[in-house]
Amino acid sequence: MQFPGQKPDEKVTMLVRKHWSVLVRQVIMFIIAAGVPLAIYLVITKVMNITLDHSSLGFVLAVLGVSAFELYVLLFFFIFWIDYYLDLWVITDSRIVAIEQEGLFSRRVSELPLSHVQDVKTDVSGFVATMLRYGNVTIETAGEQSKFVFEHIPRPDLIAQKIIELQPNLSPIQQQSVAPAKQNTPTPKSGTPVI
Amino acid sequence: MTIPYSIFLIAYAVLAGIFLIGMMMSLWSVLRFASMSKIAMISTFIFIIAVLGILALTWQNVHAFDWRQTFTFQVPSLRS
């Protein structure tokens, strides 16, 4: 696994993106928007049994209008997809990197050395979040940026556990006894598949 | 006053041109930041195929139309 800005001797432990449910609403809106012209066409031709004159100006203008509409719907959905896909959190053996894409030309990268991690909290709230197992992980730091937040990510309990395990300041015995400070999700059982 | 039908084609071409600019910017963003990952390449490929499909269907439906025809309408006159 590699990510932009990775150091030569750095090993990536986890690459985390937002949960797929973030995309669902946009996908549904895209399908509805893209399907409306087709639905109208089917209603006119099949239900109302109106025969369209394919050589008329009206039909041609309708085709051009629908074509432009579909192109822009597709473009907006692709831009949203890019924004979703390029947002990611990278946990390596030495640091946590948060890459946030804001639009097409704006990108914010935050970095947190693992040695600066003071506290790790997970938060899973709501019926849907509990069923789909996604939530937030908040890391309190000793650096200038007091909080580092992983938002809307899958299996936040596993992410928190991994961050704690990678803590360089803790001895192996201390690592076994440390749990996330605040955890609203049940501890995963052994053998739980990793993301 | 006569308006050629091709004016609608020009309007569509302008919209399509703006779309192409947006498409180029988003493709640049993917190439620049997505590090050529498999998912990024597949999604970009699907997007390009969908765009080409829409343009092909549009061409199929409008290429036979005679765009040289004109639309004539009379501007209301103030004279009696």
Side-chain angles (χ1 to χ4, degrees):
Chain A
M1 274 188 288
Q2 289 190 338
F3 69 97
Q6 184 175 355
K7 294 171 186 171
D9 57 344
E10 193 171 22
K11 289 180 190 170
V12 176
T13 307
M14 255 185 184
L15 249 167
V16 184
R17 284 193 170 86
K18 288 185 182 176
H19 194 264
W20 56 262
S21 60
V22 169
L23 282 175
V24 168
R25 186 166 153 255
Q26 292 296 330
V27 169
I28 291 172
M29 285 172 59
F30 168 72
I31 290 171
I32 291 172
V36 161
L38 178 64
I40 293 173
Y41 175 78
L42 289 174
V43 165
I44 290 172
T45 55
K46 305 291 182 192
V47 176
M48 297 169 69
N49 274 324
I50 296 174
T51 307
L52 297 174
D53 179 9
H54 288 213
S55 60
S56 68
L57 176 65
F59 178 80
V60 168
L61 289 182
V63 167
L64 291 180
V66 167
S67 171
F69 174 75
E70 296 286 359
L71 286 174
Y72 279 95
V73 164
L74 191 60
L75 180 64
F76 286 136
F77 180 73
F78 187 63
I79 290 172
F80 177 80
W81 159 254
I82 291 171
D83 193 41
Y84 163 83
Y85 187 72
L86 294 182
D87 280 350
L88 74 157
W89 293 272
V90 185
I91 303 171
T92 73
D93 54 355
S94 60
R95 58 181 176 149
I96 300 169
V97 180
I99 301 172
E100 194 173 337
Q101 186 74 21
E102 296 167 350
L104 290 177
F105 300 107
S106 180
R107 192 167 170 86
R108 186 166 59 186
V109 181
S110 308
E111 191 179 310
L112 171 67
L114 285 172
S115 57
H116 288 193
V117 173
Q118 289 189 323
D119 190 20
V120 182
K121 292 191 286 187
T122 64
D123 178 30
V124 177
S125 55
F127 173 76
V128 176
T130 304
M131 289 296 113
L132 298 180
R133 291 185 171 184
Y134 67 82
N136 302 336
V137 172
T138 305
I139 303 170
E140 290 185 13
T141 79
E144 190 179 309
Q145 189 179 355
S146 61
K147 277 187 184 178
F148 223 71
V149 184
F150 292 41
E151 287 178 333
H152 225 97
I153 57 168
R155 298 306 302 272
D157 51 331
L158 293 179
I159 307 292
Q161 197 172 356
K162 181 53 80 175
I163 292 171
I164 290 166
E165 284 172 9
L166 289 171
Q167 287 289 294
N169 298 329
L170 299 176
S171 65
I173 296 172
Q174 283 176 309
Q175 282 185 352
Q176 285 173 11
S177 64
V178 168
K182 197 174 187 179
Q183 193 168 354
N184 296 333
T185 54
T187 308
K189 297 177 185 175
S190 59
T192 304
V194 182
I195 300 160
Chain B
M1 186 175 176
T2 57
I3 298 174
Y5 285 177
S6 57
I7 200 169
F8 299 110
L9 204 56
I10 292 168
Y12 176 79
V14 170
L15 288 173
I18 296 170
F19 165 82
L20 279 174
I21 292 170
M23 179 177 161
M24 289 298 123
M25 291 196 297
S26 51
L27 289 177
W28 178 87
S29 189
V30 170
L31 289 172
R32 173 76 175 80
F33 298 121
S35 300
M36 301 303 288
S37 69
K38 208 180 276 184
I39 293 176
M41 287 172 69
I42 291 170
S43 59
T44 303
F45 178 74
I46 291 172
F47 172 68
I48 293 172
I49 293 296
V51 168
L52 291 176
I54 291 170
L55 292 175
L57 279 171
T58 306
W59 170 254
Q60 190 182 358
N61 281 287
V62 305
H63 80 280
F65 188 78
D66 184 7
W67 293 100
R68 289 169 295 180
Q69 297 176 71
T70 56
F71 175 66
T72 306
F73 69 94
Q74 289 184 340
V75 178
S77 174
L78 293 175
R79 294 181 187 173
S80 58

